[in-house]
Amino acid sequence: MSKKNLDKTTSNEDWMSILSPEEFRVLRMKGTEMPGTGAYNKFNEAGVYNCAGCGAPLFTSEQKFDSGCGWPAFFDEVPNSIDREVDSSMGAVRTEILCKKCGGHLGHEFKGEGFPNPTDIRHCVNSAALKFKKKDE
């Protein structure tokens, strides 16, 4: 199955045949990586961060910043790439962010934390939900 054909209607059986076990746990089961363990937490190359599930562009390296939270952080997203839902798990109300194309769980969005970025927003994203593509590729 081609990544361009993957979307919100793709079955979990198909996702399991395409994704690694960790990607499936994060993207489809709404899992979370341990802080500081993700490949893109301290990663700083120029390019685009795509959804590890469907390949849709989600974030750019220009939007990434070091929040010190232990996960890759972005202050903005590629336009029309993210859906938001209320997440009341874990004893708190948070904003979950999902890939608009395939519905994959990316992480959470936090506002008003005082980070010195243009939006004062932090998209806290699991590295397993992302695949990086260098700018020149």
Side-chain angles (χ1 to χ4, degrees):
M1 181 173 273
S2 167
K3 283 206 178 215
K4 68 181 178 181
N5 297 323
L6 300 172
D7 61 22
K8 293 176 183 175
T9 65
T10 303
S11 71
N12 273 344
E13 184 177 279
D14 285 338
W15 284 119
M16 286 169 66
S17 72
I18 295 163
L19 300 173
S20 74
E22 179 67 354
E23 290 169 340
F24 183 82
R25 187 183 73 79
V26 169
L27 286 164
R28 310 317 306 171
M29 305 305 292
K30 301 180 185 263
T32 301
E33 298 168 328
M34 294 296 295
T37 63
Y40 300 124
N41 183 37
K42 299 288 185 185
F43 186 84
N44 294 308
E45 291 191 35
V48 176
Y49 294 85
N50 299 309
C51 177
C54 69
L58 302 171
F59 306 100
T60 67
S61 56
E62 290 84 10
Q63 298 163 327
K64 190 171 189 287
F65 72 103
D66 184 3
S67 69
C69 70
W71 291 273
F74 303 87
F75 62 80
D76 206 356
E77 73 263 7
V78 170
N80 299 310
S81 64
I82 303 290
D83 280 335
R84 291 163 177 82
E85 291 183 3
V86 174
D87 175 4
S88 56
S89 66
M90 309 292 286
V93 177
R94 303 176 293 169
T95 302
E96 179 185 8
I97 53 174
L98 306 113
C99 174
K100 186 178 275 300
K101 182 179 176 203
C102 73
H105 171 77
L106 305 172
H108 292 86
E109 177 183 85
F110 301 93
K111 295 180 179 181
E113 295 178 313
F115 285 107
N117 66 50
T119 62
D120 196 16
I121 293 174
R122 173 174 60 99
H123 296 95
C124 185
V125 183
N126 291 285
S127 288
L130 303 171
K131 290 284 186 202
F132 182 77
K133 183 177 179 189
K134 285 185 181 182
K135 195 171 190 171
D136 297 332
E137 289 182 355

